[in-house]
Amino acid sequence: MFKYDEDVLKDQLLELIRLAATDLPDDVVDAIKAARQNEPAESAAHSVFGMLLKNIDLARDESTPICQDTGTNIYLVHIPEGVSMRKLTGLILDATAEAVNKSYLRPNAVDSITGKNSGNNIGEGQPFIHFEEWDNDYIEFKLMLKGGGCENVSAQYKLPDVGLDAGRDLDGVYKVIIDAVNAAQGLGCAPGILGIGIGGDRTSCHLTAKSQLFRKLTDTNSNPELAELESKLLLDLNSLGIGPMGFGGKTTVLGVKMGAMHRLPASFFVSIAYMCWAHRRHSMTLQNGGEVKYD
């Protein structure tokens, strides 16, 4: 039987939220530093990246949110057999409300019918929590904060797309991704990180796309064809000249991560989950007995 102290776990989840909101992951920071070095010293792009890095340092040092829009809280939780999803959901909600009280999160949950803000970042579908069962004897909590600006420029395409001359193949996938980033320009707080879902139905395609954003920028896709396409897209998207915040430059995206699923013969969807430069994600593992580790 998996054992943990609920009060202690609530505090541990609160720390996970604090880290996600205030402490940008090292792989993302390193990518931004490398992008700055790749821009001419007097360019607008170089200046923008410098401001981003100052913001990152201030947020980390003062334990304040990196961005005023603390976004949708997206959880991917892996659990051993027999662990209660209902209890974990309750603890996540309690930690979320406490994070608002401590100003790690902004009250972001607005009733779509009445327009009323719940005041504690909790509402129908907020935060979003996806559970998956696995064989490991520990729980893994992955948390990502996805702001509204980058969510607004996310997209889904249905292939074939006659207007883009995009067929039902990886070349068609390539074309719609180029189109999505070109359409976004500097909106969504470029440079972005792209999570791509290929196949499935409309819902699972979006979920796959967002799940890809939990991957580190430094990893390599286990599928050789997708790995090759990720590298090609990273190179070609950064040749568009859009640059950070649309000011122009050599870095329009920091990473491209792709996942594919089987699909119906009649459907071929491609989802683009666009994440802003403030790629706020952290994870926490909880061992049987209560020991935790943050990443």
Side-chain angles (χ1 to χ4, degrees):
M1 183 177 179
F2 198 94
K3 296 182 179 180
Y4 59 87
D5 184 296
E6 292 187 13
D7 291 334
V8 173
L9 180 54
K10 189 200 80 169
D11 290 339
Q12 293 165 336
L13 288 166
L14 177 63
E15 174 64 7
L16 176 63
I17 296 170
R18 186 194 72 81
L19 286 171
T22 67
D23 184 15
L24 209 62
D26 288 341
D27 62 309
V28 180
V29 178
D30 289 344
I32 293 173
K33 288 179 178 178
R36 187 187 188 210
Q37 293 175 353
N38 197 34
E39 302 287 356
E42 302 303 321
S43 67
H46 190 274
S47 177
V48 170
F49 281 125
M51 288 187 285
L52 298 186
L53 290 167
K54 287 181 181 179
N55 185 70
I56 291 167
D57 288 341
L58 282 170
R60 182 177 288 164
D61 292 344
E62 299 182 11
S63 200
T64 56
I66 292 170
C67 178
Q68 75 275 12
D69 179 6
T70 54
T72 298
N73 293 200
I74 300 171
Y75 286 87
L76 175 58
V77 185
H78 290 95
I79 58 173
E81 181 179 359
V83 171
S84 171
M85 294 184 289
R86 179 178 54 82
K87 288 184 179 180
L88 292 182
T89 296
L91 292 173
I92 289 173
L93 295 183
D94 290 345
T96 299
E98 183 65 20
V100 173
N101 290 335
K102 292 183 176 294
S103 298
Y104 301 146
L105 297 176
R106 182 177 73 179
N108 266 349
V110 177
D111 188 305
S112 298
I113 308 303
T114 66
K116 183 179 179 180
N117 194 310
S118 69
N120 60 3
N121 217 47
I122 297 171
E124 292 295 327
Q126 297 285 341
F128 176 81
I129 308 170
H130 178 72
F131 288 96
E132 293 182 5
E133 187 177 301
W134 64 1
D135 293 330
N136 296 316
D137 189 32
Y138 62 90
I139 301 173
E140 179 185 60
F141 299 89
K142 292 183 176 181
L143 171 60
M144 173 171 58
L145 309 185
K146 195 171 191 301
C150 63
E151 184 71 355
N152 286 343
V153 297
S154 297
Q156 187 176 79
Y157 291 78
K158 178 173 66 69
L159 298 179
D161 187 309
V162 176
L164 296 174
D165 190 28
R168 291 183 162 195
D169 51 27
L170 290 184
D171 182 60
V173 172
Y174 169 89
K175 288 178 179 177
V176 298
I177 294 170
I178 295 289
D179 182 69
V181 175
N182 192 49
Q185 292 293 304
L187 299 175
C189 295
I193 297 97
L194 306 183
I196 309 297
I198 304 168
D201 65 3
R202 288 191 180 273
T203 301
S204 61
C205 191
H206 273 307
L207 181 59
T208 296
K210 287 185 176 179
S211 296
Q212 294 301 304
L213 293 172
F214 285 109
R215 291 170 51 193
K216 291 187 181 297
L217 297 180
T218 51
D219 76 3
T220 301
N221 201 307
S222 59
N223 183 303
E225 290 183 278
L226 293 183
E228 182 179 355
L229 186 54
E230 287 177 354
S231 297
K232 177 176 173 55
L233 279 163
L234 183 61
L235 181 65
D236 292 352
L237 289 168
N238 284 332
S239 70
L240 295 176
I242 296 169
M245 304 298 177
F247 282 103
K250 300 176 182 178
T251 305
T252 298
V253 297
L254 298 173
V256 181
K257 302 298 177 184
M258 313 181 80
M261 294 169 293
H262 282 60
R263 58 179 176 82
L264 291 176
S267 303
F268 197 127
F269 297 111
V270 181
S271 289
I272 297 98
Y274 190 110
M275 172 59 81
C276 63
W277 67 267
H279 189 9
R280 294 159 290 175
R281 55 162 163 75
H282 271 278
S283 64
M284 180 183 88
T285 55
L286 174 68
Q287 301 291 335
N288 195 344
E291 181 183 354
V292 299
K293 181 179 179 181
Y294 298 97
D295 183 22

